[in-house]
Amino acid sequence: MDIAEFVKLSFGKWRSQRSAHNLAFSHFEQVISTIDIVPLSSEDPAVIALCESYKIEPKLAIHPFRMSWEGESDWEEGEIIKGTTILVPISDPNDPKKGQLLRDQGYAETIPSVGNYHFNEEGCFILITPYDRAMAEERIWFGTPNLRFRVSLIKTSAGTGVVTASFASEIRCLDKE
Amino acid sequence: MDIAEFVKLSFGKWRSQRSAHNLAFSHFEQVISTIDIVPLSSEDPAVIALCESYKIEPKLAIHPFRMSWEGESDWEEGEIIKGTTILVPISDPNDPKKGQLLRDQGYAETIPSVGNYHFNEEGCFILITPYDRAMAEERIWFGTPNLRFRVSLIKTSAGTGVVTASFASEIRCLDKE
C-alpha cells in the first residue's frame, strides 16, 4: 500500500458511523455522517496555495483531494455538523511508504496543519499531526475495498496522555445518486 | 513485544468503554464494564484440562490467565452483563511473535475456541479466531502502559463480510481496592 493507492481507494462517498470516547469522564459520543472524498487537480488554485503556504513545490503533490462531511451527533440533536477541507499528500522522495499530509483545516484545531504519515507492514495509514495544544494520531485501514476503519486519538501536546479516542466504521455508498 | 510481555502488561483491573457498530443497520451499542485479568498457574487444573482438550502439552502454556468482566450495555438498561473465561497462550516454538490462544469460552460463540495470534511490527496483538458460523478478528494494543485499545471485528465465516465492528478504550484502575 502506498499513498497513491490509498487515496484512490478512498475516493467516493462513505457512510460513517463514529464513536468517540472521552476517557476522563467515560462519555460516549455517536456521530452518523456522510463523507465525500473527491480528487482535485494538482493545478487547482487551492492546492497550489496550500503547497506554497508550506513552501512545498505543488508538483510534488500526489492525488490531492477534498473531503467534505455532513452529519449528526447525539450530543447536539437536530444540529447538522458539516465541513470541508483540502488535503494534499506529499510523498517522501526517498521512501514511498511515508510523507507529509497538508491540510487547510485541522482535525483537533481548525487551523491549517501538516502531519507526518507512514504505512505499516499491514497497509495501515498512520498520521501524526502536532497542533499547538494537542497532538492527533490517526490510523486508517481498509477491511475490504468498500469498508474503511479509522481510529483517532487526541493526545496532550507532549503525546503522553490520551484525551479522546474515537473509532469510525465507514461503508462505501454504492447506490447511484 | 511478545506474548509474555503483552500478557504481563495486561494483568490488572481495567475500566472499559466499548462501542459496537452494527454495520448493516448503523446501530450503536455502548458498554461500560470492568475487566479483571489475573494470572493463573500453569498447573491450574482448568489450564491443564483446556490444554488437554486440544492435545497440547500444558507446559507449553505461557502466562495463562483468567479474564472476568462485569458491565452494562445501553441495549439492556439495568441488566448486568458478566462472564469469565480462561485463556492460555501457546507460543510458536519457531517464532516468538506468533502462536495460538486457547479459550474455554469464545467471543463470537460461547464455546471453547482456539485462535491464531501474531504481533505486528508496532507491537499490536492480532488474533484471528474461526468459529462455526463466524470469524473474529481482534487487535489489541497499548497507547500507554495504563491504556489499552481493542478493535474487534465479527466477520462472516468466509472472512469476507464484516457484520459488527467494535472499539474499546480500556483504562487501568490504579486505585487500591
Side-chain angles (χ1 to χ4, degrees), chain B residues 64-133:
Chain B
F65 58 97
R66 175 180 288 282
M67 188 165 83
S68 308
W69 58 93
E70 187 167 333
E72 236 181 304
S73 158
D74 68 333
W75 281 21
E76 292 161 281
E77 298 283 352
E79 265 196 46
I80 301 296
I81 302 162
K82 60 190 285 186
T84 183
T85 182
I86 289 170
L87 293 120
V88 179
I90 306 290
S91 184
D92 185 326
N94 302 312
D95 184 348
K97 294 277 181 208
K98 61 188 208 187
Q100 290 184 300
L101 184 66
L102 316 183
R103 193 167 181 161
D104 75 347
Q105 195 187 336
Y107 171 62
E109 296 173 7
T110 54
I111 49 166
S113 70
V114 54
N116 290 298
Y117 72 79
H118 69 277
F119 288 91
N120 74 8
E121 66 193 346
E122 297 170 294
C124 175
F125 172 83
I126 300 162
L127 177 69
I128 312 283
T129 311
Y131 292 95
D132 273 359
R133 295 178 304 275

Side-chain angles (χ1 to χ4, degrees), chain A residues 15 17 26-27 30 121, chain B residues 15 17 26-27 30 120-121:
Chain A
R15 183 167 52 82
Q17 198 176 348
S26 296
H27 283 170
Q30 299 178 349
E121 66 193 346
Chain B
R15 182 166 53 82
Q17 198 177 347
S26 295
H27 283 168
Q30 299 178 348
N120 74 8
E121 66 193 346

Side-chain angles (χ1 to χ4, degrees), chain A residues 28 30 58 84 102 116 135 149:
Chain A
F28 289 90
Q30 299 178 349
T84 184
L102 316 183
N116 291 298
M135 202 177 104
F149 294 111

Side-chain angles (χ1 to χ4, degrees), chain A residues 15 17-19 21 23 26-28 30 120-122 126 139 144 147 149 160 162 165 167 169 171, chain B residues 15 17-19 21 23 26-28 30 120-122 126 139 144 147 149 160 162 165 167 169 171:
Chain A
R15 183 167 52 82
Q17 198 176 348
R18 187 163 74 88
S19 297
H21 299 167
L23 300 186
S26 296
H27 283 170
F28 289 90
Q30 299 178 349
N120 73 8
E121 66 193 346
E122 298 171 294
I126 299 161
R139 308 174 159 257
T144 73
L147 179 61
F149 294 111
T160 46
V162 179
F167 177 62
S169 304
I171 298 174
Chain B
R15 182 166 53 82
Q17 198 177 347
R18 187 164 73 87
S19 296
H21 298 167
L23 299 186
S26 295
H27 283 168
F28 289 91
Q30 299 178 348
N120 74 8
E121 66 193 346
E122 297 170 294
I126 300 162
R139 309 176 158 256
T144 72
L147 179 60
F149 295 111
T160 46
V162 179
F167 177 62
S169 304
I171 298 174

Side-chain angles (χ1 to χ4, degrees), chain B residues 129-170:
Chain B
T129 311
Y131 292 95
D132 273 359
R133 295 178 304 275
M135 203 175 104
E137 184 185 308
E138 292 176 85
R139 309 176 158 256
I140 305 177
W141 71 98
F142 286 86
T144 72
N146 296 325
L147 179 60
R148 233 169 74 129
F149 295 111
R150 178 197 297 255
V151 169
S152 307
L153 307 181
I154 304 292
K155 299 184 171 186
T156 53
S157 52
T160 46
V162 179
V163 181
T164 307
S166 76
F167 177 62
S169 304
E170 300 174 348

